[in-house]
Amino acid sequence: MADRSAPSCHLRLEWVYGYRGHQCRNNLYYTAAKEIVYFVAGVGVVYSPREHRQKFYLGHQDDIISLALHPERVLVATGQVGKEPYICVWDSYTVQTVSVLKDVHTHGIACLAFDLDGQRLVSVGLDSKNTVCVWDWRKGKLLSMAPGHTDRIFDISWDLYQPNKLVSCGVKHIKFWSLCGNSLTPKRGVFGKTGDLQTILCLACARDEVTYSGALNGDIYVWKGINLVRTIQGAHAAGIFSMNACEEGFATGGRDGCVRLWDLNFKPITVIDLRETDQGYKGLSVRSVCWRGDHILVGTQDSEIFEIVVHERNKPFLIMQGHCEGELWALAVHPTKPLAMTGSDDRSVRIWSLIDHALIARCNMEEPIRCAAVSTDGIHLALGMKDGSFTVLRVRDMTEVVHIKDRKEAIHELKYSPDGNFLAVGSNDSSVDVYGVVQRYKKVGECVGSLSFITHMDWSSDSKYLQTNDGNGKRLFYRMPSGKEVTNKEELKGIQWASWTCVSGVEVNGIWPKYSDINDINSVDANFIGQVMVTADDYGIVKLFRYPCLRKGAKFKKYLGHSAHVTNVRWSHDHQWVVSIGGADHSVFQWKFVPDRKLKDTLHIAPQESLVDSNSDESDSDQSDVPELDSEIEQETQITYRRQVYKEDLPQLKEQCKEKRKSAASKRRERAPGNSIRLHFVHGYRGYDCRSNLFYTQTGEIVYHVAAVGVVYNRQQNTQRFYLGHDDDILCLAIHPLKDYVATGQVGRDSSIHIWDTETIKPLSVLKGYHQYGVCAVDFSADGKRLASVGIDDNHTIVLWDWKKGEKLSAVRGSKDKIFVVKINPYMPDKLITVGIKHMKFWRRAGGGLIGRKGCIGALGRTDTMMCAVYGWTEEMAFSGTSTGDVCIWRDVFLIKTVKAHDGPVFSMHALEKGFVTGGKDGVVALWDDTFERCLKTYAIKRAALAPGSKGLLLEDNPSIRAISLGHGHILVGTKNGEILEVDKSGPITLLVQGHMEGEVWGLATHPHLPICATVSDDKTLRIWDLSPSHCMLAVRKLKKGGRCCCFSPDGKALAVGLNDGSFLIVNADTLEDLVSFQHRKDVISEIRFSPGTGKYLAVASCDNFVDIYNVMSSKRVGICKGASSYITHMDWDIRGKLLQVNTGAKEQLFFEAPRGKKQIIPSLEVEKIGWASWTSVLGSCCEGIWPIIGEVTDVTASCLTSDSKVLATGDDFGFVKLFRYPAKGKFGKFKRYVAHSTHVTNVRWTYDDSLLVTVGGADTSLMLWTYEMEGHRDSRQCDSEESDLDSEEDGGYDSDVTRENEINYTIKALSTNIRPMFGIKPHLQQKEPTLDERG
């Protein structure tokens, strides 16, 4: 028969013996139909104890390792292992797939959990980051993902009493997650002094933010919020693997073999020790419990499932058994009865009834079992062992007949001859021994032709010949019982074989794929009568072929279910069933053989949707004749917001430095300081590259942003409140139509948009996952439900969001060039416009995409660069401001008119009920009527118009205006120079806030005895700031060059300033007028310091590696310090004014004697003894601990010590301000960390009385004041400290003594309900006749 077609008969899975108890937890539940759902190998099993029937879910193709039950208890989610693992959600009634979730996880899916209403599913991956994903499983959509932890996560659960909260636990940690928008934010559980830090294996959430968790030592840890509040000691004698919550309370199961029931307050109800019951045994370990009414299901490590009825708890029913962990290779079938025998590395041999689907006998042996055979009369069962011995038992009572050991290596195969006289035993020693059964198994022959281990054997029907296969794929023949090899082809021709289990031979050529390793088919068994054979291979597949099967690559039918390799397969004696066994999954599958019946294999393949990007018109080349860009816009388009290293990269960078951490872990590290700081006031406003980012809130406060801070400024009290949820530069801000929420977008590798409440300063939603590098524009729709955002990636992607749900509605590539503004049409929220460099586009939403049309200019000219845009009084009217000072008026997509509005670009535009207001580079604010026909009024921003209540000084007349907003009878104006002004309609102007202009700010000095400080920046200004509650700029002076450092004299009367051209000035500290100036250097002056006491000397350090020392009184240079191999970064005097400490860019710590400048070498022990007048150095043994693990990547740029020498504040290139205990000895000290600056913090200084810390951020131009709070001072307002880098491996600890202060509470009431009541009619809906639908 050379037929290569597949056989027409088939197999149907009828029963699976076993349950996956090892390496899995919480995987056994009652369904709504009182059936039991669990999994084994790659099969989901639904077992009905009433009918003793199993149904199978076969949608996976590898080991299932996790399972979750939907709250309605019909649907089940299962997760598998594999290179590209997926999650299946399936119905336990019909065992059909409902949804497949894929393409996100790798390696495997360790845990799954449904939320309270079953809409969302959370999964945890087995990848190195243990990624946590939240799915809308019905749509198959990923809602959110975040790295879970650096170590394994064992359990995850939704908090069923608080929406959008989850808890996960695992190796030495527990984390409390909030899902806000589409971002998941974890907070680590604080173990504190209440309990030892240890691995948490399972958890359950209860009311009032209480979480119960089971620990590795058998204790139950009780959490309130993120803090451990109490422990229930000795709940179990060893690890608690499973915890199950139900209406009555909680059930826990542990390694000690006990199941304990607890009431809703976790008071003990009862203990059931399964080891003590009839079916129990020593070493029984519980992996899964499920408590439902008066029944409890228990799954054990050794693949048993018990059912306990609560009132007869000492009589558990054993409803499922299987082999324990260890490979399963031995399989034999009884020659006359429907029985199968299996033996495994768990050292047990078991006999299964194929009719009753039950285990009927079990016997434990001394050694792991590798093969089995039953004698022809069914009386003896021979077992081949891994140690080279074999044992023969009587089948009826499992008593031993003989035990023989002739070989040293494992026995792979043994077979009785058909006449029952001989037993052939094949071993790993490449030989087959033949034993006489009736002579009490005396050895009568040996076959030694093979060069490799024996894999398969078959006897001829007359018991005179034996064929063998070996590991080389050779097929050999022997005469029996002598064991002489037969090579004569003629002699072999007529042999009839009693069985066929060999994998090599002409008859089975067809079972081998065309290109295949000779070892990957493990077992074959032929059914001569039905002319079919079944094979088992390394890929977990059982196949059905025709027999004989002569030609390679024959067709077959295949059956999945086993996960890893199928080690053996046999027909039952009457060919009714096929029994297959899995190696690693140690399960026994029983398949029903269904003779010739036509099958209808219908496959549903869902058509793949594809959304072609509708925006493919890149032909902007026709605009080559566009005029040159305005210098200011040119400058702005050059700004790159890319970072070498983003804050998101920190965890990975730390991972890479693991070796360093380990060495650090062994050393005792100083605790973080007890005192803390809190952000108090920020001088600065981001005007130089942002527009329209300044608004009045509902309550008349002013909201804007600078650096990484969202600021809400109260102009009556001159105070600020801060939104500190961002961790890098905020680039845009938009306000909700009701003026109480704002959206802010930031820079980041995967940058996020935060929507937060200006009243409570709490986030309502965080959106991420779609914008790379940063978000440069955001806008709310008129009904406040949608948000549009634009990224600064190369395509300037535009995304439309349903922000409350955190769901992306549509996205599209915007433009190759920069987009400045996005606006949603107030009348039709499916339409929007974007404007940017040579770009004006009208978009409408189409499903998950947006379709764009360019603005049609017609004969009126060419597309100019547009800087701002608003919608007008009807849905088709739009207005845009150009870089040449025109306002373009659009109807639909057509340009109908242009109006000259400003000299230079129009940067900001605002639509009023009647009319418009515009602001431009010319420093003029103009009010217009509603058609731009007439300019009603203009306001010039001039110093002369400044009102007396101003909080500072206007740097120049007519500053470039970047933001305008109206409200509360005033016009709010933001300028490029970082000033915020309030213009009264009658003319006077009040300056409210200001900071430095564009350029890095490095120079910072605090006054020796007054609450004032001085700053100097690359923006070529020197400024004096009042740090007392009036918070204003007291004086400003323009310099001829930018500066990098400044310093007050000890009496506070003079101020020295180092400039970037190598010169320096000494000015009067009150008037800022010159006293003296010098220039001896060509390179930047990097640090400047008066000597203590009388301030006799001035040390001036420069980037050309020298420090010059001047005598202030005589105005002469008296010394030069040489010997630095790089530029000077920091400098401090000792108290006597005789010694200078210098740090350089090459990380050298040098010492020079003053005033001559002679270099000194001082051992580090002596350095500590010297009294320093100030400490701003970052090198030396006293500050070894301030350098982070990733010190190669980032620099600590500044430090400053409090006057009591207890706390060292530092600033670094990541924008972190940190507090350390001083001295910070030993590597990687613990700290408190604060984020507000965006990129590098260039300088930090304590005020003279340590009451404030003042910090400046380089490129973010801001000056920040932090109040210093003593230990024990707990303020109810949120703080924002985080703890150390090294919060894991060491200290046996994943927790630090520092209590988490950032209590930012990411709560959203129910997402579905509206966040607040809405009253009245929105402005754009007024004066319109209601449509019929609206009336109805």
Side-chain angles (χ1 to χ4, degrees):
M1 257 187 80
D3 186 0
R4 280 172 65 181
S5 64
S8 50
C9 46
H10 74 275
L11 301 177
R12 189 183 73 238
L13 187 56
E14 179 175 297
W15 202 262
V16 178
Y17 301 89
Y19 149 77
R20 170 89 186 232
H22 63 101
Q23 301 155 357
C24 290
R25 285 158 307 282
N26 302 324
N27 57 353
L28 174 63
Y29 296 102
Y30 283 111
T31 68
K34 298 206 169 59
E35 294 178 315
I36 295 167
V37 62
Y38 58 95
F39 57 82
V40 57
V43 180
V45 183
V46 182
Y47 170 61
S48 163
R50 279 203 307 267
E51 299 167 15
H52 192 56
R53 199 169 52 95
Q54 289 182 341
K55 294 184 286 191
F56 308 103
Y57 176 70
L58 297 165
H60 286 281
Q61 49 18 359
D62 210 330
D63 264 326
I64 301 175
I65 54 165
S66 53
L67 180 149
L69 190 63
H70 189 277
E72 288 162 8
R73 306 203 341 270
V74 175
L75 296 173
V76 180
T78 44
Q80 66 167 58
V81 295
K83 193 162 144 212
E84 293 175 345
Y86 52 85
I87 300 162
C88 295
V89 180
W90 47 280
D91 184 316
S92 63
Y93 282 150
T94 62
V95 291
Q96 296 300 312
T97 308
V98 182
S99 182
V100 177
L101 313 175
K102 57 178 205 278
D103 298 339
V104 176
H105 287 294
T106 58
H107 299 78
I109 288 134
C111 328
L112 292 166
F114 284 99
D115 70 354
L116 178 60
D117 55 3
Q119 298 295 319
R120 293 176 297 183
L121 179 71
V122 63
S123 59
V124 178
L126 281 177
D127 53 292
S128 58
K129 294 189 179 138
N130 297 290
T131 307
V132 176
C133 295
V134 178
W135 306 82
D136 177 335
W137 61 266
R138 278 190 195 280
K139 292 186 184 159
K141 228 167 87 171
L142 180 67
L143 298 175
S144 177
M145 67 189 280
H149 192 65
T150 47
D151 245 321
R152 266 296 299 273
I153 294 177
F154 291 134
D155 199 2
I156 191 160
S157 171
W158 291 84
D159 186 328
L160 303 178
Y161 301 96
Q162 298 184 76
N164 303 310
K165 293 274 203 254
L166 300 111
V167 190
S168 67
C169 64
V171 177
K172 291 198 172 167
H173 79 283
I174 182 165
K175 278 186 177 170
F176 297 86
W177 300 80
S178 336
L179 176 61
C180 183
N182 70 357
S183 83
L184 272 167
T185 321
K187 284 187 185 172
R188 240 197 185 136
V190 180
F191 286 81
K193 305 273 190 293
T194 318
D196 298 336
L197 171 100
Q198 58 170 317
T199 295
I200 306 287
L201 296 166
C202 57
L203 51 84
C205 296
R207 296 180 184 284
D208 307 326
E209 291 189 62
V210 173
T211 306
Y212 297 105
S213 61
L216 191 59
N217 65 356
D219 293 353
I220 282 171
Y221 279 27
V222 185
W223 305 81
K224 173 93 177 170
I226 62 168
N227 295 303
L228 180 59
V229 288
R230 65 189 175 103
T231 63
I232 301 170
Q233 293 188 340
H236 286 264
I240 302 175
F241 286 126
S242 179
M243 187 180 285
N244 177 244
C246 68
E247 289 92 64
E248 289 85 5
F250 301 89
T252 56
R255 191 189 231 138
D256 57 1
C258 289
V259 171
R260 291 194 70 158
L261 306 185
W262 312 79
D263 69 11
L264 291 164
N265 296 320
F266 240 92
K267 300 272 186 301
I269 300 174
T270 182
V271 183
I272 302 161
D273 187 344
L274 284 168
R275 291 182 182 180
E276 301 301 315
T277 58
D278 314 342
Q279 308 275 3
Y281 51 90
K282 185 172 173 287
L284 184 149
S285 165
V286 176
R287 302 292 296 203
S288 191
V289 284
C290 173
W291 179 12
R292 191 94 219 143
D294 56 353
H295 285 73
I296 301 166
L297 276 180
V298 182
T300 73
Q301 171 85 23
D302 292 345
S303 308
E304 297 131 339
I305 301 176
F306 290 95
E307 185 169 41
I308 303 168
V309 179
V310 177
H311 51 268
E312 291 177 7
R313 63 188 75 124
N314 47 0
K315 291 208 187 81
F317 299 102
L318 189 51
I319 57 176
M320 176 53 65
Q321 285 169 281
H323 278 283
C324 316
E325 200 168 358
E327 296 248 331
L328 174 58
W329 281 85
L331 169 66
V333 288
H334 196 283
T336 56
K337 294 184 185 150
L339 299 177
M341 288 73 165
T342 57
S344 133
D345 284 2
D346 71 2
R347 303 181 185 197
S348 72
V349 56
R350 301 174 187 235
I351 303 182
W352 312 90
S353 161
L354 302 180
I355 287 183
D356 298 335
H357 300 140
L359 177 68
I360 54 173
R362 164 182 178 167
C363 177
N364 286 345
M365 312 303 290
E366 297 296 310
E367 289 296 325
I369 304 163
R370 276 295 160 103
C371 55
V374 185
S375 61
T376 328
D377 51 13
I379 291 171
H380 284 180
L381 168 64
L383 303 168
M385 305 299 186
K386 205 173 171 180
D387 67 341
S389 66
F390 72 92
T391 300
V392 180
L393 305 175
R394 291 181 189 84
V395 171
R396 74 164 186 272
D397 56 4
M398 304 291 252
T399 51
E400 189 174 295
V401 180
V402 293
H403 178 79
I404 294 171
K405 182 166 184 192
D406 287 340
R407 295 284 165 194
K408 295 211 168 43
E409 294 184 43
I411 306 295
H412 288 310
E413 177 75 304
L414 32 72
K415 277 233 166 55
Y416 281 97
S417 62
D419 61 9
N421 290 334
F422 301 106
L423 173 67
V425 179
S427 80
N428 206 47
D429 300 358
S430 319
S431 54
V432 179
D433 300 321
V434 186
Y435 298 87
V437 175
V438 272
Q439 300 99 312
R440 280 195 58 76
Y441 292 94
K442 176 174 173 244
K443 183 167 172 182
V444 293
E446 190 175 339
C447 316
V448 290
S450 278
L451 299 172
S452 178
F453 54 91
I454 306 297
T455 57
H456 304 86
M457 299 186 297
D458 286 304
W459 287 84
S460 62
S461 305
D462 56 8
S463 304
K464 289 187 177 157
Y465 295 95
L466 183 76
Q467 68 164 329
T468 67
N469 287 176
D470 63 22
N472 289 338
K474 288 267 187 309
R475 179 187 183 197
L476 299 172
F477 303 90
Y478 301 94
R479 205 170 284 121
M480 286 287 131
S482 63
K484 189 168 185 320
E485 192 176 340
V486 180
T487 48
N488 176 358
K489 295 264 170 58
E490 287 306 307
E491 192 177 339
L492 298 172
K493 269 199 173 150
I495 300 179
Q496 286 282 315
W497 298 103
S499 63
W500 188 288
T501 62
C502 286
V503 294
S504 316
V506 186
E507 290 89 335
V508 293
N509 268 345
I511 67 175
W512 293 95
K514 292 201 170 136
Y515 313 99
S516 165
D517 171 9
I518 203 77
N519 294 327
D520 60 10
I521 295 180
N522 296 314
S523 177
V524 170
D525 195 17
N527 168 354
F528 297 143
I529 302 162
Q531 293 191 320
V532 285
M533 67 176 157
V534 60
T535 69
D537 65 29
D538 277 353
Y539 308 109
I541 300 173
V542 173
K543 294 179 181 171
L544 209 50
F545 289 91
R546 294 179 183 272
Y547 177 85
C549 186
L550 307 174
R551 289 171 59 196
K552 269 213 161 190
K555 301 271 193 302
F556 51 83
K557 290 198 168 145
K558 69 173 189 178
Y559 303 94
L560 290 169
H562 287 287
S563 50
H565 43 294
V566 188
T567 50
N568 215 326
V569 59
R570 288 288 178 268
W571 291 92
S572 64
H573 75 103
D574 54 1
H575 300 116
Q576 266 204 62
W577 292 287
V578 169
V579 179
S580 62
I581 58 174
D585 62 36
H586 53 80
S587 55
V588 181
F589 282 48
Q590 178 179 336
W591 310 80
K592 179 83 175 149
F593 176 57
V594 184
D596 299 4
R597 220 187 71 205
K598 293 283 172 277
L599 271 182
K600 294 184 178 59
D601 279 1
T602 51
L603 282 178
H604 292 303
I605 297 174
Q608 280 291 311
E609 296 179 49
S610 69
L611 234 171
V612 184
D613 205 51
S614 55
N615 170 45
S616 50
D617 53 347
E618 291 304 338
S619 57
D620 286 345
S621 54
D622 53 334
Q623 302 174 346
S624 49
D625 52 349
V626 168
E628 282 302 293
L629 283 182
D630 176 83
S631 61
E632 216 168 275
I633 301 169
E634 185 66 56
Q635 230 173 328
E636 192 177 321
T637 54
Q638 299 310 314
I639 300 178
T640 165
Y641 297 96
R642 311 270 164 108
R643 309 260 187 260
Q644 229 90 53
V645 183
Y646 289 87
K647 292 205 179 64
E648 289 117 303
D649 305 338
L650 282 173
Q652 272 163 306
L653 291 167
K654 284 184 204 154
E655 273 303 294
Q656 289 160 13
C657 304
K658 247 189 167 152
E659 291 315 305
K660 285 207 221 158
R661 308 169 71 146
K662 293 216 170 83
S663 62
S666 51
K667 303 193 184 69
R668 177 80 195 91
R669 282 168 45 233
E670 195 61 70
R671 285 180 306 138
N675 303 349
S676 54
I677 56 175
R678 199 181 69 240
L679 190 56
H680 177 59
F681 203 86
V682 180
H683 289 285
Y685 154 70
R686 179 103 181 207
Y688 67 87
D689 64 341
C690 299
R691 282 155 310 283
S692 304
N693 55 352
L694 169 66
F695 299 98
Y696 283 110
T697 68
Q698 233 177 19
T699 53
E701 294 181 306
I702 291 167
V703 60
Y704 60 95
H705 63 87
V706 60
V709 187
V711 184
V712 180
Y713 172 74
N714 182 317
R715 60 197 205 286
Q716 281 79 25
Q717 295 161 4
N718 195 30
T719 55
Q720 295 176 341
R721 293 177 302 141
F722 309 103
Y723 177 71
L724 295 165
H726 289 282
D727 60 11
D728 207 328
D729 272 323
I730 299 175
L731 297 181
C732 55
L733 183 149
I735 195 154
H736 188 282
L738 294 184
K739 311 256 185 275
D740 52 355
Y741 303 161
V742 295
T744 43
Q746 72 164 61
V747 169
R749 190 177 291 288
D750 169 12
S751 47
S752 57
I753 300 162
H754 291 228
I755 292 94
W756 46 281
D757 185 321
T758 57
E759 209 36 56
T760 62
I761 315 286
K762 298 246 170 80
L764 303 162
S765 185
V766 179
L767 311 173
K768 44 172 29 156
Y770 290 98
H771 290 302
Q772 281 179 314
Y773 309 124
V775 181
C776 62
V778 282
D779 186 46
F780 280 102
S781 60
D783 60 3
K785 288 183 181 155
R786 291 186 180 178
L787 183 79
S789 58
V790 180
I792 52 175
D793 55 288
D794 296 336
N795 292 314
H796 296 91
T797 308
I798 304 167
V799 179
L800 190 61
W801 306 84
D802 177 330
W803 64 265
K804 284 183 198 169
K805 288 194 187 138
E807 190 183 327
K808 175 192 78 134
L809 301 173
S810 306
V812 71
R813 297 176 185 175
S815 161
K816 288 269 181 279
D817 287 313
K818 187 152 180 190
I819 292 179
F820 294 128
V821 179
V822 60
K823 279 278 182 238
I824 303 181
N825 190 317
Y827 310 97
M828 304 177 71
D830 274 348
K831 290 192 169 180
L832 33 130
I833 46 178
T834 54
V835 302
I837 304 270
K838 304 177 192 167
H839 167 102
M840 173 86 191
K841 249 184 181 176
F842 296 82
W843 305 86
R844 71 183 166 76
R845 185 175 166 217
L850 290 157
I851 294 170
R853 290 179 65 188
K854 288 187 174 173
C856 299
I857 297 136
L860 288 168
R862 47 188 173 242
T863 304
D864 209 334
T865 288
M866 306 283 176
M867 301 306 299
C868 55
V870 291
Y871 275 99
W873 59 91
T874 66
E875 63 197 57
E876 61 261 14
M877 295 303 288
F879 300 85
S880 63
T882 72
S883 59
T884 51
D886 293 338
V887 170
C888 296
I889 302 173
W890 306 80
R891 179 179 290 124
D892 203 14
V893 296
F894 302 101
L895 178 62
I896 51 174
K897 187 174 171 190
T898 60
V899 175
K900 183 75 178 160
H902 290 271
D903 292 330
V906 184
F907 281 129
S908 186
M909 199 171 202
H910 195 77
L912 314 173
E913 273 98 73
K914 291 196 173 63
F916 298 90
V917 55
T918 60
K921 186 179 176 179
D922 54 9
V924 172
V925 177
L927 287 170
W928 302 83
D929 67 2
D930 57 5
T931 53
F932 272 98
E933 299 281 328
R934 293 191 4 255
C935 178
L936 305 174
K937 188 158 188 187
T938 58
Y939 300 93
I941 306 295
K942 288 201 161 53
R943 287 180 230 183
L946 266 195
S950 289
K951 299 284 174 208
L953 309 158
L954 201 54
L955 207 64
E956 57 188 15
D957 282 345
N958 300 337
S960 177
I961 293 175
R962 305 304 293 249
I964 292 190
S965 159
L966 274 82
H968 302 272
H970 294 89
I971 303 171
L972 205 49
V973 175
T975 74
K976 182 181 188 225
N977 296 348
E979 297 134 348
I980 297 178
L981 309 152
E982 198 171 49
V983 181
D984 193 276
K985 296 267 170 80
S986 58
I989 298 172
T990 315
L991 192 145
L992 303 174
V993 175
Q994 73 188 131
H996 276 279
M997 302 182 284
E998 189 173 6
E1000 302 224 341
V1001 187
W1002 283 76
L1004 170 66
T1006 49
H1007 194 281
H1009 48 256
L1010 293 174
I1012 63 174
C1013 74
T1015 56
V1016 60
S1017 149
D1018 290 353
D1019 71 4
K1020 304 186 187 169
T1021 62
L1022 166 67
R1023 302 172 184 233
I1024 308 280
W1025 307 86
D1026 185 347
L1027 305 180
S1028 70
S1030 66
H1031 298 307
C1032 63
M1033 187 172 81
L1034 296 171
V1036 58
R1037 171 177 165 184
K1038 288 195 178 173
L1039 306 167
K1040 61 180 192 306
K1041 283 276 183 281
R1044 283 282 166 112
C1045 55
C1046 57
C1047 177
F1048 282 100
S1049 61
D1051 59 7
K1053 289 185 176 155
L1055 177 62
V1057 185
L1059 303 182
N1060 292 352
D1061 61 352
S1063 65
F1064 70 91
L1065 317 168
I1066 301 178
V1067 302
N1068 178 319
D1070 294 329
T1071 63
L1072 301 190
E1073 287 163 1
D1074 276 10
L1075 298 174
V1076 282
S1077 73
F1078 287 92
Q1079 179 153 12
H1080 280 114
R1081 300 278 165 213
K1082 296 269 184 300
D1083 214 335
V1084 175
I1085 303 294
S1086 54
E1087 183 63 295
I1088 193 159
R1089 281 305 175 87
F1090 281 98
S1091 63
T1094 56
K1096 183 175 177 188
Y1097 296 111
L1098 178 67
V1100 181
S1102 72
C1103 283
D1104 49 13
N1105 311 1
F1106 296 108
V1107 179
D1108 298 318
I1109 301 177
Y1110 294 84
N1111 180 320
V1112 178
M1113 310 322 284
S1114 67
S1115 305
K1116 287 201 171 68
R1117 179 160 67 169
V1118 290
I1120 301 180
C1121 309
K1122 301 177 179 157
S1125 62
S1126 177
Y1127 56 93
I1128 313 295
T1129 54
H1130 304 81
M1131 193 163 59
D1132 289 299
W1133 289 90
D1134 75 335
I1135 288 175
R1136 302 165 310 142
K1138 295 279 168 63
L1139 190 66
L1140 263 179
Q1141 170 181 216
V1142 169
N1143 289 184
T1144 74
K1147 304 220 164 117
E1148 306 161 292
Q1149 185 185 25
L1150 307 173
F1151 299 95
F1152 297 99
E1153 255 181 7
R1156 293 284 162 259
K1158 186 163 178 284
K1159 190 171 170 189
Q1160 300 292 326
I1161 290 173
I1162 306 180
S1164 61
L1165 283 172
E1166 295 301 312
V1167 176
E1168 291 174 34
K1169 292 179 190 162
I1170 296 170
W1172 295 99
S1174 63
W1175 183 284
T1176 59
S1177 164
V1178 295
L1179 301 173
S1181 61
C1182 300
C1183 18
E1184 184 185 16
I1186 69 178
W1187 287 86
I1189 292 195
I1190 47 177
E1192 281 75 79
V1193 187
T1194 175
D1195 256 341
V1196 180
T1197 45
S1199 82
C1200 189
L1201 187 60
T1202 53
S1203 45
D1204 62 6
S1205 301
K1206 293 227 174 102
V1207 175
L1208 186 68
T1210 68
D1212 64 31
D1213 279 352
F1214 262 118
F1216 295 133
V1217 175
K1218 296 179 182 173
L1219 298 187
F1220 292 87
R1221 273 181 199 270
Y1222 185 83
K1225 292 190 176 177
K1227 287 198 161 142
F1228 317 132
K1230 291 198 175 172
F1231 51 78
K1232 291 188 175 172
R1233 176 175 92 174
Y1234 303 88
V1235 184
H1237 286 291
S1238 50
T1239 46
H1240 42 296
V1241 180
T1242 48
N1243 222 327
V1244 298
R1245 289 288 180 270
W1246 293 99
T1247 53
Y1248 70 98
D1249 58 357
D1250 290 345
S1251 62
L1252 291 170
L1253 177 69
V1254 189
T1255 60
V1256 287
D1260 68 27
T1261 72
S1262 60
L1263 168 71
M1264 302 200 182
L1265 316 185
W1266 310 74
T1267 48
Y1268 184 45
E1269 296 181 342
M1270 295 303 160
E1271 197 161 5
H1273 175 100
R1274 272 279 166 272
D1275 195 328
S1276 59
R1277 282 180 296 174
Q1278 64 175 53
C1279 300
D1280 51 315
S1281 130
E1282 299 179 21
E1283 66 227 30
S1284 315
D1285 273 355
L1286 274 161
D1287 43 15
S1288 49
E1289 275 103 71
E1290 83 289 1
D1291 303 345
Y1294 278 36
D1295 67 318
S1296 149
D1297 303 337
V1298 182
T1299 49
R1300 282 280 197 182
E1301 290 169 14
N1302 57 348
E1303 300 291 321
I1304 301 184
N1305 215 344
Y1306 294 95
T1307 50
I1308 307 184
K1309 299 288 184 285
L1311 276 173
S1312 51
T1313 62
N1314 209 319
I1315 297 188
R1316 63 188 153 218
M1318 296 260 198
F1319 298 110
I1321 302 174
K1322 300 242 167 132
H1324 63 276
L1325 298 174
Q1326 291 165 357
Q1327 299 119 15
K1328 266 205 309 192
E1329 275 299 308
T1331 61
L1332 288 171
D1333 298 348
E1334 287 170 337
R1335 288 180 196 152

